Amino acid sequence: MSARVTKAVIPAAGLGTRFLPATKATPKEMLPVVDKPAIQYVVEEAARAGLDDVLVVIGRNKSSLEDHFDRAYELEDKLEGDDGKRELLDRVRDSTRLATVHYVRQQDPRGLGHAVSCAERHVGREPFAVLLGDDLIDERDELLSRMIEVQAEHGGCVLALMEVPREQISLYGCASVETTATDGVVRITGLVEKPAVDEAPSNLALIGRYVLAPEIFDALAETAPGRGGEIQITDAIARLTDPAVAGGPVHGVVFRGRRYDTGDKGEYLRAIVQIASDRADLGPQFRSWLADFAATRLPLGDPDEPIRP
Ligand code: UTP
């Protein structure tokens, strides 16, 4: 039986090139989704799953991220002095109470696998969770705690998988799988990063949640740069699917809930619309505006035609 998972690692050192110029001086994980930065939703998810030791892997321009999870005394003093701002004060303090947040710097953004290897000293020889800082799982849909349960039962690694339309599989890491006796849990027999559609072994895509055995660090040390010249976490986990290698077995939990990849512009916009629509404070007014907008302003004709005021 392996040790309990207590630590979460959040890689947030990527360059975020798809969001330039917004990400020139601000990490993409700090872009707001309604009124919280994306990474706060991710830290909240880790805390809900019982992981209150969070290590964020940061790169250049990440000081706003450190400030966000730190106290802001001047701001808090100002809000504290104003009775009408108590609720706002609580919301400002929320981000500092969620977890103990540590930081490690990835000197050079050499890929997600390399970012995870930067966590080795902090994590030690225990299983740990990795949550991508721009990948949001709706809080109403359980995923991470289920993955931790599956890891406790089988040991090794557990990855989050999602069925995607076949033509989109080349955007993701892809798993070959065998079914198990448990609905929604599969045994992963192989992994390939961003395969061509006709070479993909399934339509099961890796999404940004992993529970990994510490042997991943040994596998990463032996993993050469792969696709895009980056050290790919998928390539390192693929090594652990070999029964002769320590660190396995590798299982997958198939997620059927709501997930928003905020690193992609289209999905970022959809995330904001969906999350705002569901919020008790904003939803009713926003939904009514949205329904009106969709009915009266969205042209059904040429999609390239600009919408006129
Ligand atoms: P992405 O590939 O989505 O991030 O990595 P990116 O490279 O920043 O994005 P684009 O494609 O240039 O727009 C997934 C996650 O891994 C982190 C990113 O911050 C993101 O949360 N990452 C990626 C690192 O921490 N280090 C890296 O070297 C690469």
Side-chain angles (χ1 to χ4, degrees):
M1 172 117 176
S2 62
R4 210 164 58 87
V5 179
T6 59
K7 291 177 183 157
V9 173
I10 304 182
L15 294 178
T17 52
R18 283 169 291 169
F19 261 98
L20 283 169
T23 46
K24 186 177 167 199
T26 309
K28 72 172 164 183
E29 292 78 6
M30 284 301 291
L31 295 179
V33 177
V34 188
D35 52 7
K36 284 189 285 190
I39 194 167
Q40 184 172 336
Y41 292 87
V42 177
V43 175
E44 287 170 355
E45 181 191 341
R48 275 197 306 279
L51 313 181
D52 58 4
D53 179 319
V54 172
L55 177 73
V56 184
V57 183
I58 51 173
R60 57 182 272 284
N61 288 335
K62 301 284 172 168
S63 53
S64 59
L65 209 152
E66 290 181 78
D67 288 343
H68 184 72
F69 292 105
D70 199 359
R71 296 288 301 270
Y73 287 104
E74 250 176 56
L75 175 64
E76 290 177 29
D77 269 359
K78 214 158 181 67
L79 296 174
E80 203 149 33
D82 185 338
D83 273 351
K85 301 270 166 72
R86 296 296 311 183
E87 202 193 319
L88 213 46
L89 177 64
D90 275 345
R91 286 182 61 77
V92 164
R93 285 183 175 156
D94 277 351
S95 62
T96 64
R97 297 175 179 141
L98 290 167
T100 309
V101 184
H102 308 267
Y103 301 90
V104 64
R105 200 160 171 114
Q106 183 188 18
Q107 302 277 357
D108 198 9
R110 289 167 53 204
L112 176 56
H114 181 251
V116 171
S117 68
C118 295
E120 181 169 8
R121 183 183 287 228
H122 182 85
V123 166
R125 298 307 287 181
E126 296 169 14
F128 63 104
V130 173
L131 296 85
L132 299 195
D134 58 349
D135 209 339
L136 309 191
I137 299 294
D138 196 293
E139 65 178 33
R140 294 161 295 184
D141 299 319
E142 185 199 20
L143 175 59
L144 189 57
S145 44
R146 178 70 189 126
M147 293 171 70
I148 292 171
E149 271 170 25
V150 173
Q151 201 278 339
E153 190 181 338
H154 296 281
C157 300
V158 180
L159 314 183
L161 300 173
M162 203 160 178
E163 284 180 21
V164 297
R166 185 107 203 155
E167 64 279 9
Q168 287 176 18
I169 195 68
S170 52
L171 301 171
Y172 296 88
C174 174
S176 20
V177 302
E178 287 169 357
T179 52
T180 68
T182 312
D183 183 40
V185 178
V186 290
R187 169 92 185 235
I188 296 180
T189 54
L191 288 167
V192 46
E193 182 64 19
K194 301 192 171 73
V197 173
D198 50 359
E199 284 165 18
S202 73
N203 67 338
L204 287 171
L206 293 187
I207 56 172
R209 298 292 179 271
Y210 309 77
V211 176
L212 299 174
E215 286 81 2
I216 192 67
F217 296 121
D218 312 322
L220 280 165
E222 289 168 17
T223 301
R227 236 191 138 83
E230 297 193 332
I231 297 176
Q232 300 287 352
I233 191 77
T234 313
D235 294 344
I237 305 171
R239 288 169 175 264
L240 307 187
T241 60
D242 178 348
V245 175
V250 182
H251 282 88
V253 168
V254 182
F255 180 61
R256 299 197 173 94
R258 287 154 283 199
R259 172 226 174 208
Y260 317 103
D261 173 8
T262 65
D264 172 84
K265 274 185 255 193
E267 282 208 37
Y268 174 75
L269 294 174
R270 285 194 281 277
I272 292 175
V273 170
Q274 292 191 40
I275 291 171
S277 302
D278 291 343
R279 281 257 300 249
D281 55 343
L282 300 169
Q285 265 202 326
F286 182 61
R287 277 200 306 271
S288 131
W289 172 83
L290 197 58
D292 185 50
F293 179 78
T296 58
R297 301 271 310 279
L298 288 187
L300 293 172
D302 182 358
D304 294 330
E305 191 63 19
I307 298 170
R308 300 198 195 292

